[in-house]
Every structure is written in structure tokens, then in C-alpha cells.
Amino acid sequence: MPTKWTTRLRRSAVKNIQFENLLPDERPVFVASWLYAVTVLTVASLILVLGSGGILAFKGASWYHSSEVGHFVNSLHFWSTEFFFLFLIVHLWGNFWRAAWRGRRFATWVTGSVAFFISIITAFTGYLVQTNFDSQWIASQSKDAINSVGIGSFLNTLNTGQMLLLHVSLLPVVIIAVVVWHVILVQQHGFVPPIDAKEIDGDVK
């Protein structure tokens, strides 16, 4: 009798994920660096983006265009997105120059890169659903570019409903899933040590 996929998933999780490391109280000394602090700020910004975006989606465009509180939440969503990309780019380049794929961490690097590219697409769809002149201009200009690569038949930037569905429902779920996967891989393989670090008795010095 074939093994159920849920059983295989559970066994794989138990085998590969060290649950005692999910909420650790000790970290290597090299983690005390501004680069790792940027990582925390990236996740915090993402949480703020998702929270403020959820409020905007629930209240609707008429609310955040006409209400003072709506203006504030809309600005909060915009600036948290700006800071998210700032911290994310610093995190990405910092890990690139540290060769963060070392030590069987290639999958960790790939998931982080995928999260970055999906975030760009999500931000693009966000500009398209502002329901103002800027969004109309961006949609009309990008429509020609998308048509030129042959995908305009099923991706219509002038269709606000389609872009709103992608921005609010599909893409955030994908980002959350990839980020969670990325964090699990980090916990599984540990933080990448500095390139010039030496191991003494199994510990990075």
C-alpha cells in the first residue's frame, strides 16, 4: 500500500527540520552583525506590508482615497513596502558577497532569490491597483511591453480586477510560502559563517 503524501511530508519534516532550533536562545557570535539585523527588519517590514495591505483590501479604494485614516494606512503600506525592498536588497547583496550558498545552502539562496523576484511582481501589481492616474498610466504603458513578449492574452494589466486578485490573493500567499520555506532552510542548515571563519571543535570561531 503506497504511503500517503501527508505521512511522507510529516516524516520529511521530522527528519530535516530541527525543531529545537526554531526558537533558539543561543546564536553564533558572528550573528551579532548589522547584516543579520537587516534580515529581521526585512521580515518586520513584510509583516507590516501584509497587515496594512489587508486593511486596505478590506476597506476598499473609496475608503483610503477619502478618509484621513485611510490615507494614513495607504501611506503606511507604501512606505513599509519601500523599506521592505530596501532591507531586502541589502540582505540579498550582503549574502551574495558572503557567498551564502556555501555549506549545502544552495536551496536557501534560491528560495531567497525567488522571494525577491516575486516581491517585484507583487509590487508591480500594487501600482496597477491604486485606482488613480498613475496606475492608469503604468497599466497602459506596461500593457504594450507585456503584449510584446506574448503573454498579453492572459495577463491584462488594464484589467484592474485581475491585477487586484493577483496582488491581494495569489502573490502574497506565494511570498509567505516561499519566505517560510526560506526561514525553515536557514534553521535547518544554520546561518552561513564568514568566509574567513575557522571551525574549532565543531564551533565557528
Side-chain angles (χ1 to χ4, degrees), residues 139-156:
S140 60
Q141 296 302 307
S142 59
K143 178 61 177 173
D144 294 334
I146 291 177
N147 288 342
S148 67
V149 297
I151 60 175
S153 58
F154 62 90
L155 184 63
N156 183 7

Side-chain angles (χ1 to χ4, degrees), residues 161-182:
Q162 185 186 52
M163 296 301 103
L164 183 62
L165 178 65
L166 291 174
H167 184 72
V168 175
S169 300
L170 179 61
L171 293 175
V173 173
V174 176
I175 290 177
I176 292 173
V178 175
V179 169
V180 169
W181 187 13
H182 180 72

Side-chain angles (χ1 to χ4, degrees), residues 4-22 180-181 184-185 187-189:
K4 296 181 180 179
W5 70 269
T6 53
T7 304
R8 295 196 302 271
L9 180 62
R10 185 188 70 247
R11 291 176 178 174
S12 177
V14 172
K15 178 181 178 182
N16 296 313
I17 301 175
Q18 300 177 1
F19 290 96
E20 65 272 13
N21 291 332
L22 291 179
V180 169
W181 187 13
I184 290 175
L185 289 173
Q187 298 299 332
Q188 178 182 348
H189 298 289

Side-chain angles (χ1 to χ4, degrees), residues 14 37 42 59 63 67 77 99 115 123 141 154 159 162 182 187 201:
V14 172
T42 304
K59 298 292 288 185
W63 176 72
S67 167
H77 184 66
Q141 296 302 307
F154 62 90
N159 187 341
Q162 185 186 52
H182 180 72
Q187 298 299 332
D201 296 331

Side-chain angles (χ1 to χ4, degrees), residues 15-129:
K15 178 181 178 182
N16 296 313
I17 301 175
Q18 300 177 1
F19 290 96
E20 65 272 13
N21 291 332
L22 291 179
L23 292 173
D25 52 7
E26 294 183 357
R27 282 302 188 194
V29 65
F30 60 81
V31 176
S33 168
W34 64 269
L35 188 58
Y36 294 95
V38 168
T39 303
V40 177
L41 292 174
T42 304
V43 176
S45 300
L46 177 60
I47 294 174
L48 194 57
V49 169
L50 295 173
S52 58
I55 296 174
L56 293 176
F58 180 78
K59 298 292 288 185
S62 60
W63 176 72
Y64 61 75
H65 279 314
S66 59
S67 167
E68 292 185 0
V69 178
H71 288 162
F72 172 77
V73 177
N74 193 20
S75 299
L76 182 64
H77 184 66
F78 172 80
W79 283 109
S80 59
T81 302
E82 297 292 306
F83 280 107
F84 169 72
F85 274 99
L86 172 64
F87 297 140
L88 182 59
I89 291 173
V90 173
H91 174 70
L92 178 66
W93 278 107
N95 283 285
F96 174 80
W97 291 113
R98 292 190 308 132
W101 50 83
R102 291 176 291 123
R104 301 178 63 184
R105 295 180 176 89
F106 181 73
T108 307
W109 172 261
V110 170
T111 53
S113 301
V114 170
F116 174 67
F117 287 112
I118 296 176
S119 298
I120 293 176
I121 299 174
T122 307
F124 171 67
T125 57
Y127 280 111
L128 297 176
V129 298

